[in-house]
Amino acid sequence: MSPLHRTLPVATALVLGLTGAALGSSASAAPAARPPVVGQPGGSWAGDPYFPAMGATGYDALTYHLDLDYDPVDATSGTLDATAQLTLRPTTTLSSFNLDLRGLDVSSVSVNGRRAGFTHEDGELTVTPRRPLRKHVRAVVRISYGGTTGRPVDAEGSLYGWVSTADGAMVVNEPDGAPTWFPVNDDPNDKAIYTFSITVPKGKAAVANGVQIGKPKTRAGRTTYRWFESSPMASYLTTATIGDFDITTTRGPRGIPIINAIDRDVTPANRATSEASLAKQADMIAFFSDHFGRYPFASAGAIVDDDSVGYALETQSRAIYSRSASEGTVAHEIAHQWYGNAVSPHRWSDIWLNEGFATYAAWMWGEHTGGRTVEARAAAVYATPATSGLWTTVMADPGPLNLFAGAVYDRGALTLHELKQKIGDDAFARLLKAWARDSRYGNATTSDLVALAESISGQDLSAFFDTWAYTPEKPTTW
Ligand code: ARG
Ligand code: ZN
């Protein structure tokens, strides 16, 4: 979904549980008298060179309603029985269209209430509706699917996607793990509104993005949790994590709910650390709002799982932590809500725009709370020997196997620190806010940042960014 196409009535309709047929005229077939519409197949790749199968073209996904019924089987697998209902808006007249879905089987697909043809091979689900979908006429797609879940790993070997655990599942998708649990246009540029309805064995809890709709309902030994994220969200930021969670709600700045879910089985020491860090979320949101502009989402909070994928992730409005949440990591994930989640990278090569900003923001929080200064942390990073991967990697094009490298995080943060020296404190302060605001709920590139910094500062910054973002060497002059 692009912000231009934002149609909250559809989201509202989904929340109210209305079916496709109730969503309006777009859902009904064309009158018989019209000449047949000729369409073309949508593409099966969104165009990101790092991920040659990711995403699709030919339509804009507006909403996803994911109905997930899950049972853990053992410590490494479970069974998922699910339905995904999507509304999408064709950007051209489509004879067929594509979604990403890996490792699960599709049993049926309907489009606007009528059974549709489909093929599903190598993670590509191609749907052929009975009649072409007309350009700009919204369609409702229902996909029934499911199967056995495992513990998928990404290209770098890290656990991601729907990670089955002994007590449920820990669900973290960055960068391309979303298709391990739902059919999706897995392109960070196609943000959408999501609702989740997650049914688990009684006693378990399911936590997703946004806010809970109603109280969990238990029937025949199974409990259904419903969640709704009202702001556009990239697919890699979705979660539907299941475990032995206690869910508590407090209030943050402007009254937003801060919803925390902590697994009952985290160790007492990890619980103490996590609770202390999470208690600071309201202050962090207030501090970052002063510097970055208003908090972009309607809720906040955290999931602390006793299981581990080995890292934390900034899942939208509800970051997730493996076993424990340290204060520095919480500051980092909260900062991502502005940088990464509200404004997301257009291409995965731009990932430093997420990680450099979040790392820099956590430095700011550290200094603000009496820890090491930003200056000292920047100096420590700069002291890294010239032979380090920090310098020999191209920060703004690190390659798909280096998305989470030091060259992205620490060099990214140092680049911002040096940019501040270069353009001055006032221009830098304005840049932080404008960057979070101008592309809010959308996407941006490194060149967009350069252009914005140049327009705010009135300086030519091409040499600065050449050195810091595009040259695989330790900068000495800039
Ligand atoms: N974006 C996450 C963070 O910085 C880190 C994700 C790491 N993922 C991985 N596969 N290593 O908070
Ligand atoms: Zn990060």
Side-chain angles (χ1 to χ4, degrees), residues 124-167:
E124 295 290 346
L125 174 64
T126 304
V127 176
T128 306
R130 292 219 198 161
R131 296 167 199 250
L133 302 182
R134 283 174 177 272
K135 180 176 177 174
H136 295 170
V137 178
R138 210 175 278 168
V140 177
V141 181
R142 263 180 93 84
I143 299 164
S144 299
Y145 66 100
T148 303
T149 62
R151 291 170 63 86
V153 290
D154 67 14
E156 298 182 58
S158 301
L159 285 167
Y160 83 148
W162 186 282
V163 178
S164 314
T165 61
D167 66 4

Short mmCIF file of all heavy atoms in Angstrom, two decimals, residues 124-167:
data_model
loop_
_atom_site.label_atom_id
_atom_site.label_comp_id
_atom_site.label_asym_id
_atom_site.label_seq_id
_atom_site.Cartn_x
_atom_site.Cartn_y
_atom_site.Cartn_z
N GLU A 124 6.59 -19.61 -4.96
CA GLU A 124 5.79 -18.63 -5.70
C GLU A 124 4.38 -19.17 -5.88
O GLU A 124 4.17 -20.20 -6.52
CB GLU A 124 6.40 -18.35 -7.08
CG GLU A 124 7.77 -17.68 -7.05
CD GLU A 124 7.74 -16.22 -6.57
OE1 GLU A 124 6.64 -15.64 -6.51
OE2 GLU A 124 8.82 -15.70 -6.26
N LEU A 125 3.42 -18.46 -5.33
CA LEU A 125 2.02 -18.81 -5.51
C LEU A 125 1.45 -17.91 -6.60
O LEU A 125 1.46 -16.69 -6.47
CB LEU A 125 1.26 -18.59 -4.19
CG LEU A 125 -0.26 -18.77 -4.21
CD1 LEU A 125 -0.65 -20.22 -4.52
CD2 LEU A 125 -0.86 -18.34 -2.87
N THR A 126 1.01 -18.52 -7.69
CA THR A 126 0.44 -17.74 -8.79
C THR A 126 -1.06 -18.02 -8.84
O THR A 126 -1.48 -19.17 -8.94
CB THR A 126 1.09 -18.14 -10.13
OG1 THR A 126 2.50 -17.97 -10.00
CG2 THR A 126 0.59 -17.27 -11.27
N VAL A 127 -1.83 -16.95 -8.73
CA VAL A 127 -3.29 -17.08 -8.68
C VAL A 127 -3.87 -16.59 -10.00
O VAL A 127 -3.54 -15.50 -10.48
CB VAL A 127 -3.86 -16.24 -7.51
CG1 VAL A 127 -5.38 -16.29 -7.51
CG2 VAL A 127 -3.29 -16.72 -6.18
N THR A 128 -4.73 -17.41 -10.57
CA THR A 128 -5.41 -17.01 -11.81
C THR A 128 -6.91 -16.94 -11.55
O THR A 128 -7.58 -17.96 -11.42
CB THR A 128 -5.11 -18.03 -12.95
OG1 THR A 128 -3.69 -18.16 -13.06
CG2 THR A 128 -5.68 -17.54 -14.27
N PRO A 129 -7.43 -15.72 -11.43
CA PRO A 129 -8.86 -15.57 -11.20
C PRO A 129 -9.64 -15.93 -12.46
O PRO A 129 -9.07 -15.96 -13.55
CB PRO A 129 -9.04 -14.09 -10.86
CG PRO A 129 -7.76 -13.41 -11.23
CD PRO A 129 -6.71 -14.43 -11.50
N ARG A 130 -10.92 -16.20 -12.30
CA ARG A 130 -11.73 -16.59 -13.48
C ARG A 130 -11.72 -15.51 -14.55
O ARG A 130 -11.74 -15.80 -15.72
CB ARG A 130 -13.17 -16.77 -13.04
CG ARG A 130 -13.28 -17.96 -12.15
CD ARG A 130 -14.53 -18.67 -12.45
NE ARG A 130 -14.84 -19.54 -11.34
CZ ARG A 130 -16.04 -20.03 -11.12
NH1 ARG A 130 -17.04 -19.70 -11.92
NH2 ARG A 130 -16.24 -20.83 -10.11
N ARG A 131 -11.77 -14.26 -14.09
CA ARG A 131 -11.69 -13.15 -15.04
C ARG A 131 -10.56 -12.25 -14.61
O ARG A 131 -10.29 -12.16 -13.41
CB ARG A 131 -12.95 -12.29 -14.99
CG ARG A 131 -14.18 -12.99 -15.41
CD ARG A 131 -15.35 -12.11 -14.99
NE ARG A 131 -16.55 -12.92 -14.96
CZ ARG A 131 -17.55 -12.78 -15.84
NH1 ARG A 131 -17.51 -11.83 -16.73
NH2 ARG A 131 -18.59 -13.57 -15.77
N PRO A 132 -9.95 -11.57 -15.56
CA PRO A 132 -8.87 -10.65 -15.18
C PRO A 132 -9.35 -9.62 -14.15
O PRO A 132 -10.52 -9.26 -14.12
CB PRO A 132 -8.51 -9.97 -16.50
CG PRO A 132 -8.91 -10.96 -17.55
CD PRO A 132 -10.15 -11.63 -17.02
N LEU A 133 -8.44 -9.20 -13.34
CA LEU A 133 -8.75 -8.14 -12.37
C LEU A 133 -8.48 -6.82 -13.05
O LEU A 133 -7.39 -6.57 -13.56
CB LEU A 133 -7.86 -8.29 -11.13
CG LEU A 133 -7.94 -9.63 -10.40
CD1 LEU A 133 -7.03 -9.61 -9.17
CD2 LEU A 133 -9.39 -9.93 -9.99
N ARG A 134 -9.51 -5.97 -13.01
CA ARG A 134 -9.34 -4.69 -13.68
C ARG A 134 -8.44 -3.76 -12.89
O ARG A 134 -8.53 -3.69 -11.65
CB ARG A 134 -10.69 -4.00 -13.84
CG ARG A 134 -11.53 -4.57 -14.94
CD ARG A 134 -12.89 -3.90 -14.87
NE ARG A 134 -13.74 -4.35 -15.94
CZ ARG A 134 -13.77 -3.78 -17.15
NH1 ARG A 134 -13.01 -2.74 -17.43
NH2 ARG A 134 -14.56 -4.26 -18.08
N LYS A 135 -7.66 -3.03 -13.64
CA LYS A 135 -6.79 -2.01 -13.05
C LYS A 135 -7.58 -1.12 -12.08
O LYS A 135 -8.68 -0.65 -12.43
CB LYS A 135 -6.23 -1.16 -14.20
CG LYS A 135 -5.30 -0.06 -13.77
CD LYS A 135 -4.73 0.64 -15.01
CE LYS A 135 -3.85 1.80 -14.58
NZ LYS A 135 -3.17 2.41 -15.74
N HIS A 136 -7.02 -0.94 -10.90
CA HIS A 136 -7.55 -0.04 -9.87
C HIS A 136 -8.86 -0.50 -9.23
O HIS A 136 -9.42 0.23 -8.42
CB HIS A 136 -7.72 1.40 -10.40
CG HIS A 136 -6.41 2.02 -10.75
ND1 HIS A 136 -6.31 3.22 -11.41
CD2 HIS A 136 -5.15 1.62 -10.53
CE1 HIS A 136 -5.03 3.51 -11.60
NE2 HIS A 136 -4.30 2.55 -11.06
N VAL A 137 -9.37 -1.67 -9.62
CA VAL A 137 -10.59 -2.17 -8.97
C VAL A 137 -10.19 -3.19 -7.91
O VAL A 137 -9.63 -4.24 -8.22
CB VAL A 137 -11.56 -2.80 -9.99
CG1 VAL A 137 -12.80 -3.35 -9.27
CG2 VAL A 137 -11.97 -1.76 -11.04
N ARG A 138 -10.48 -2.84 -6.69
CA ARG A 138 -10.05 -3.63 -5.56
C ARG A 138 -10.59 -5.07 -5.60
O ARG A 138 -11.75 -5.26 -5.96
CB ARG A 138 -10.59 -2.93 -4.31
CG ARG A 138 -9.79 -3.10 -3.11
CD ARG A 138 -10.38 -2.27 -2.02
NE ARG A 138 -9.95 -0.88 -2.12
CZ ARG A 138 -10.50 0.10 -1.45
NH1 ARG A 138 -11.54 -0.13 -0.67
NH2 ARG A 138 -10.02 1.32 -1.54
N ALA A 139 -9.76 -6.01 -5.24
CA ALA A 139 -10.19 -7.42 -5.22
C ALA A 139 -9.91 -8.02 -3.85
O ALA A 139 -8.99 -7.60 -3.15
CB ALA A 139 -9.44 -8.21 -6.29
N VAL A 140 -10.75 -8.97 -3.48
CA VAL A 140 -10.58 -9.67 -2.20
C VAL A 140 -10.14 -11.09 -2.49
O VAL A 140 -10.79 -11.81 -3.24
CB VAL A 140 -11.90 -9.67 -1.40
CG1 VAL A 140 -11.73 -10.46 -0.11
CG2 VAL A 140 -12.33 -8.23 -1.09
N VAL A 141 -9.03 -11.47 -1.91
CA VAL A 141 -8.44 -12.78 -2.17
C VAL A 141 -8.42 -13.57 -0.87
O VAL A 141 -7.99 -13.04 0.16
CB VAL A 141 -6.98 -12.61 -2.68
CG1 VAL A 141 -6.35 -13.95 -3.00
CG2 VAL A 141 -6.94 -11.68 -3.89
N ARG A 142 -8.91 -14.79 -0.93
CA ARG A 142 -8.87 -15.67 0.26
C ARG A 142 -8.05 -16.90 -0.05
O ARG A 142 -8.31 -17.57 -1.04
CB ARG A 142 -10.28 -16.13 0.62
CG ARG A 142 -10.96 -15.34 1.69
CD ARG A 142 -12.35 -15.91 1.93
NE ARG A 142 -12.33 -16.92 3.00
CZ ARG A 142 -12.42 -16.62 4.28
NH1 ARG A 142 -12.49 -15.34 4.66
NH2 ARG A 142 -12.41 -17.56 5.19
N ILE A 143 -7.10 -17.16 0.80
CA ILE A 143 -6.21 -18.30 0.57
C ILE A 143 -6.24 -19.20 1.81
O ILE A 143 -5.97 -18.73 2.92
CB ILE A 143 -4.78 -17.81 0.30
CG1 ILE A 143 -4.78 -16.92 -0.96
CG2 ILE A 143 -3.80 -18.98 0.15
CD1 ILE A 143 -3.55 -16.08 -1.12
N SER A 144 -6.61 -20.46 1.62
CA SER A 144 -6.55 -21.42 2.73
C SER A 144 -5.26 -22.20 2.56
O SER A 144 -4.94 -22.66 1.45
CB SER A 144 -7.74 -22.37 2.68
OG SER A 144 -8.92 -21.62 2.83
N TYR A 145 -4.53 -22.33 3.65
CA TYR A 145 -3.21 -22.97 3.55
C TYR A 145 -2.80 -23.50 4.90
O TYR A 145 -3.46 -23.22 5.92
CB TYR A 145 -2.18 -21.95 3.02
CG TYR A 145 -1.90 -20.80 3.98
CD1 TYR A 145 -0.76 -20.82 4.79
CD2 TYR A 145 -2.79 -19.74 4.10
CE1 TYR A 145 -0.51 -19.80 5.69
CE2 TYR A 145 -2.54 -18.72 5.00
CZ TYR A 145 -1.40 -18.74 5.79
OH TYR A 145 -1.16 -17.74 6.69
N GLY A 146 -1.70 -24.22 4.93
CA GLY A 146 -1.21 -24.72 6.21
C GLY A 146 -0.18 -25.80 6.02
O GLY A 146 0.32 -26.02 4.91
N GLY A 147 0.16 -26.44 7.14
CA GLY A 147 1.16 -27.50 7.08
C GLY A 147 1.96 -27.56 8.36
O GLY A 147 1.54 -27.05 9.40
N THR A 148 3.11 -28.18 8.24
CA THR A 148 3.98 -28.34 9.41
C THR A 148 5.03 -27.24 9.38
O THR A 148 5.66 -27.00 8.36
CB THR A 148 4.66 -29.73 9.35
OG1 THR A 148 3.62 -30.71 9.29
CG2 THR A 148 5.52 -29.97 10.57
N THR A 149 5.18 -26.57 10.52
CA THR A 149 6.19 -25.52 10.61
C THR A 149 7.46 -26.08 11.24
O THR A 149 7.41 -27.04 12.02
CB THR A 149 5.69 -24.35 11.46
OG1 THR A 149 5.44 -24.82 12.80
CG2 THR A 149 4.43 -23.75 10.88
N GLY A 150 8.58 -25.47 10.91
CA GLY A 150 9.86 -25.90 11.47
C GLY A 150 10.62 -24.72 12.04
O GLY A 150 10.03 -23.89 12.73
N ARG A 151 11.90 -24.67 11.75
CA ARG A 151 12.74 -23.58 12.24
C ARG A 151 13.59 -23.08 11.07
O ARG A 151 14.74 -23.45 10.91
CB ARG A 151 13.61 -24.06 13.41
CG ARG A 151 12.75 -24.34 14.65
CD ARG A 151 13.50 -25.03 15.75
NE ARG A 151 14.62 -24.32 16.34
CZ ARG A 151 14.56 -23.44 17.35
NH1 ARG A 151 13.37 -23.11 17.87
NH2 ARG A 151 15.64 -22.89 17.84
N PRO A 152 13.00 -22.22 10.23
CA PRO A 152 13.71 -21.77 9.02
C PRO A 152 14.91 -20.87 9.36
O PRO A 152 14.95 -20.26 10.42
CB PRO A 152 12.66 -20.94 8.26
CG PRO A 152 11.38 -21.04 9.01
CD PRO A 152 11.65 -21.63 10.35
N VAL A 153 15.87 -20.84 8.44
CA VAL A 153 17.01 -19.92 8.58
C VAL A 153 17.13 -19.05 7.34
O VAL A 153 16.71 -19.45 6.26
CB VAL A 153 18.35 -20.65 8.82
CG1 VAL A 153 18.39 -21.29 10.20
CG2 VAL A 153 18.63 -21.67 7.74
N ASP A 154 17.69 -17.85 7.53
CA ASP A 154 17.88 -16.94 6.40
C ASP A 154 19.19 -17.25 5.66
O ASP A 154 19.89 -18.21 6.00
CB ASP A 154 17.82 -15.48 6.88
CG ASP A 154 18.99 -15.09 7.78
OD1 ASP A 154 19.99 -15.84 7.85
OD2 ASP A 154 18.91 -14.02 8.42
N ALA A 155 19.51 -16.42 4.66
CA ALA A 155 20.69 -16.66 3.85
C ALA A 155 21.98 -16.65 4.67
O ALA A 155 22.97 -17.28 4.30
CB ALA A 155 20.77 -15.60 2.74
N GLU A 156 21.96 -15.95 5.80
CA GLU A 156 23.15 -15.89 6.65
C GLU A 156 23.17 -17.00 7.69
O GLU A 156 24.08 -17.08 8.51
CB GLU A 156 23.23 -14.53 7.36
CG GLU A 156 23.36 -13.37 6.40
CD GLU A 156 23.48 -12.03 7.13
OE1 GLU A 156 24.41 -11.87 7.95
OE2 GLU A 156 22.63 -11.17 6.89
N GLY A 157 22.11 -17.81 7.72
CA GLY A 157 22.06 -18.92 8.67
C GLY A 157 21.37 -18.60 9.99
O GLY A 157 21.36 -19.42 10.90
N SER A 158 20.79 -17.39 10.12
CA SER A 158 20.09 -17.04 11.36
C SER A 158 18.65 -17.57 11.31
O SER A 158 18.00 -17.53 10.27
CB SER A 158 19.99 -15.52 11.51
OG SER A 158 21.26 -14.95 11.54
N LEU A 159 18.17 -18.02 12.47
CA LEU A 159 16.77 -18.41 12.57
C LEU A 159 15.90 -17.20 12.24
O LEU A 159 16.19 -16.08 12.66
CB LEU A 159 16.45 -18.85 14.00
CG LEU A 159 16.96 -20.23 14.42
CD1 LEU A 159 16.86 -20.38 15.92
CD2 LEU A 159 16.19 -21.33 13.70
N TYR A 160 14.83 -17.44 11.50
CA TYR A 160 13.88 -16.36 11.22
C TYR A 160 12.58 -16.93 10.69
O TYR A 160 12.48 -18.13 10.47
CB TYR A 160 14.48 -15.32 10.28
CG TYR A 160 14.43 -15.62 8.79
CD1 TYR A 160 14.30 -14.58 7.87
CD2 TYR A 160 14.49 -16.91 8.30
CE1 TYR A 160 14.26 -14.83 6.51
CE2 TYR A 160 14.45 -17.17 6.93
CZ TYR A 160 14.34 -16.12 6.05
OH TYR A 160 14.29 -16.37 4.70
N GLY A 161 11.60 -16.05 10.47
CA GLY A 161 10.31 -16.48 9.99
C GLY A 161 9.52 -17.09 11.15
O GLY A 161 9.65 -16.66 12.30
N TRP A 162 8.71 -18.06 10.85
CA TRP A 162 7.91 -18.74 11.88
C TRP A 162 8.82 -19.78 12.53
O TRP A 162 8.99 -20.88 12.01
CB TRP A 162 6.68 -19.38 11.26
CG TRP A 162 5.75 -19.96 12.28
CD1 TRP A 162 5.89 -21.14 12.95
CD2 TRP A 162 4.53 -19.36 12.75
NE1 TRP A 162 4.82 -21.31 13.81
CE2 TRP A 162 3.98 -20.25 13.71
CE3 TRP A 162 3.86 -18.17 12.46
CZ2 TRP A 162 2.78 -19.98 14.37
CZ3 TRP A 162 2.66 -17.90 13.12
CH2 TRP A 162 2.14 -18.80 14.07
N VAL A 163 9.40 -19.43 13.67
CA VAL A 163 10.35 -20.32 14.34
C VAL A 163 9.58 -21.11 15.40
O VAL A 163 9.17 -20.55 16.43
CB VAL A 163 11.52 -19.52 14.96
CG1 VAL A 163 12.47 -20.46 15.71
CG2 VAL A 163 12.26 -18.73 13.89
N SER A 164 9.37 -22.39 15.15
CA SER A 164 8.62 -23.23 16.09
C SER A 164 9.45 -23.42 17.36
O SER A 164 10.66 -23.63 17.29
CB SER A 164 8.35 -24.60 15.47
OG SER A 164 7.87 -24.46 14.15
N THR A 165 8.77 -23.34 18.50
CA THR A 165 9.45 -23.52 19.78
C THR A 165 8.63 -24.50 20.62
O THR A 165 7.50 -24.84 20.26
CB THR A 165 9.56 -22.18 20.54
OG1 THR A 165 8.23 -21.69 20.79
CG2 THR A 165 10.33 -21.14 19.74
N ALA A 166 9.18 -24.91 21.76
CA ALA A 166 8.49 -25.88 22.59
C ALA A 166 7.13 -25.35 23.06
O ALA A 166 6.16 -26.09 23.16
CB ALA A 166 9.35 -26.25 23.79
N ASP A 167 7.06 -24.04 23.33
CA ASP A 167 5.81 -23.49 23.87
C ASP A 167 5.01 -22.70 22.85
O ASP A 167 4.04 -22.04 23.20
CB ASP A 167 6.10 -22.63 25.12
CG ASP A 167 6.91 -21.38 24.80
OD1 ASP A 167 7.18 -21.10 23.61
OD2 ASP A 167 7.27 -20.65 25.74
#
